[in-house]
Amino acid sequence: MRSIKAHSGCGSDRSCSVVRRGEEEKMSSVPDGKKLLRSPSGLRMVPENGAFNSPFSLDEPRWVPDKECSRCMQCDTKFDFIRRKHHCRRCGRCFCDKCCSKKVALPRMCFVDPVRQCAECSLISQKEMEFFDKQLKVLLAGSTFAVTLGTSEKTETMTCRLSNNQRYLFLDGESHFEVELSRMSSVQILTDGTSPGGGTTRASGMLLHYKPMGSQEAQQLRLEATDDKKAASLWLTAMHKAAKLLYESRDQ
């Protein structure tokens, strides 16, 4: 069995945990109120409490000041009364209308409507829309896995799904676990053999590493596909993409 490592390493000042049912404070059950916020970039629908932001979200960039930008940062066209300046809502750089004309959805910044982006950023945002339009729904629907916690020899069949607020993985079986995405240290997607017809390998499991609250020792959660291997593979592929977006948000 081979593995695809999505990311490894978690700073020593970043703690990771698994939350068990019955604890006094369960952040996953706290209502997530929303508010409409107007910024220079456009209308955004954001959580009332910033602590409840989606782990996939990105902060709005700081715009390059107009006085520091006399030419388009892509084609070098000089700005004048006719050629106006436009800021890309994703990177904050300054462009002419030709180089920053596309309006593309940007859910990672919670914009209500599509916003102006430069050519480079618009391509990135369009690729990310596949995750938000398709793969996110797969994660929310969940799939069934054989789950092993730590070094235990006991395996339990559990349904694993992403919470509606996108901040937790819920694992439900005879017992219940909640893993907060922002506290994960690494995700490895396991593959087994080849897909039907040959060619690329198919995801068959996942190794999730985390640090329990108050501990600096990493723990492991292992998920392996059970009967519906196709559905499990789709869920794992979506989780692999989610991990990449998660680490991008952490490192911004």
Side-chain angles (χ1 to χ4, degrees):
M1 180 175 286
R2 288 173 286 179
S3 66
I4 301 173
K5 193 169 185 180
H7 178 90
S8 64
C10 181
S12 58
D13 60 340
R14 188 190 302 278
S15 62
C16 307
S17 70
V18 167
V19 182
R20 294 176 184 271
R21 175 179 285 160
E23 290 187 355
E24 292 183 0
E25 294 184 10
K26 286 182 60 178
M27 294 296 289
S28 61
S29 63
V30 177
D32 298 347
K34 299 282 187 178
K35 64 180 179 181
L36 197 61
L37 181 68
R38 181 179 294 278
S39 75
S41 300
L43 285 175
R44 302 169 63 221
M45 184 65 73
V46 300
E48 291 182 347
N49 188 329
F52 296 154
N53 285 338
S54 164
F56 306 122
S57 66
L58 296 173
D59 294 332
E60 281 192 84
R62 181 176 177 272
W63 283 13
V64 174
D66 286 348
K67 63 181 180 180
E68 296 180 10
C69 187
S70 60
R71 294 177 177 274
C72 173
M73 301 180 77
Q74 179 64 42
C75 69
D76 203 39
T77 296
K78 186 175 181 179
F79 296 122
D80 53 29
F81 182 74
I82 298 176
R83 296 178 179 84
R84 298 179 56 194
K85 302 174 183 178
H86 299 280
H87 286 86
C88 172
R89 271 48 175 175
R90 184 175 181 121
C91 68
R93 294 185 299 163
C94 196
F95 302 91
C96 66
D97 180 70
K98 181 179 179 181
C99 295
C100 193
S101 61
K102 292 187 177 180
K103 289 189 175 183
V104 181
L106 187 48
R108 296 186 73 184
M109 291 185 188
C110 304
F111 285 111
V112 175
D113 301 308
V115 291
R116 188 183 291 268
Q117 297 179 54
C118 66
E120 181 180 351
C121 288
S122 64
L123 287 176
I124 295 173
S125 296
Q126 286 171 347
K127 290 179 179 179
E128 290 176 349
M129 282 309 300
E130 180 181 357
F131 173 77
F132 287 96
D133 286 343
K134 299 178 181 179
Q135 293 173 316
L136 183 59
K137 295 176 182 177
V138 172
L139 292 175
L140 292 170
S143 190
T144 302
F145 297 92
V147 180
T148 306
L149 181 61
T151 58
S152 172
E153 296 181 358
K154 181 181 178 182
T155 297
E156 181 178 347
T157 299
M158 309 182 82
T159 298
C160 186
R161 66 178 179 86
L162 185 68
S163 65
N164 290 333
N165 59 23
Q166 303 173 15
R167 299 201 312 274
Y168 295 83
L169 286 181
F170 289 164
L171 293 93
D172 286 296
E174 293 183 3
S175 57
H176 173 86
F177 292 99
E178 296 176 9
V179 182
E180 188 172 0
L181 268 65
S182 63
R183 298 179 182 273
M184 298 188 309
S185 57
S186 70
V187 172
Q188 289 180 296
I189 302 300
L190 307 176
T191 60
D192 188 10
T194 59
S195 61
T200 58
T201 57
R202 182 163 62 185
S204 61
M206 178 175 73
L207 291 179
L208 170 64
H209 294 89
Y210 60 93
K211 291 181 181 178
M213 188 67 69
S215 173
Q216 292 300 315
E217 294 185 7
Q219 299 291 327
Q220 176 178 287
L221 197 64
R222 185 185 184 97
L223 280 67
E224 294 185 275
T226 53
D227 296 334
D228 194 344
K229 296 186 183 299
K230 181 178 180 180
S233 180
L234 290 173
W235 192 92
L236 292 166
T237 299
M239 187 61 201
H240 187 246
K241 177 62 176 178
K244 290 183 177 180
L245 297 182
L246 175 64
Y247 302 129
E248 286 175 8
S249 296
R250 276 187 192 173
D251 297 336
Q252 69 171 356

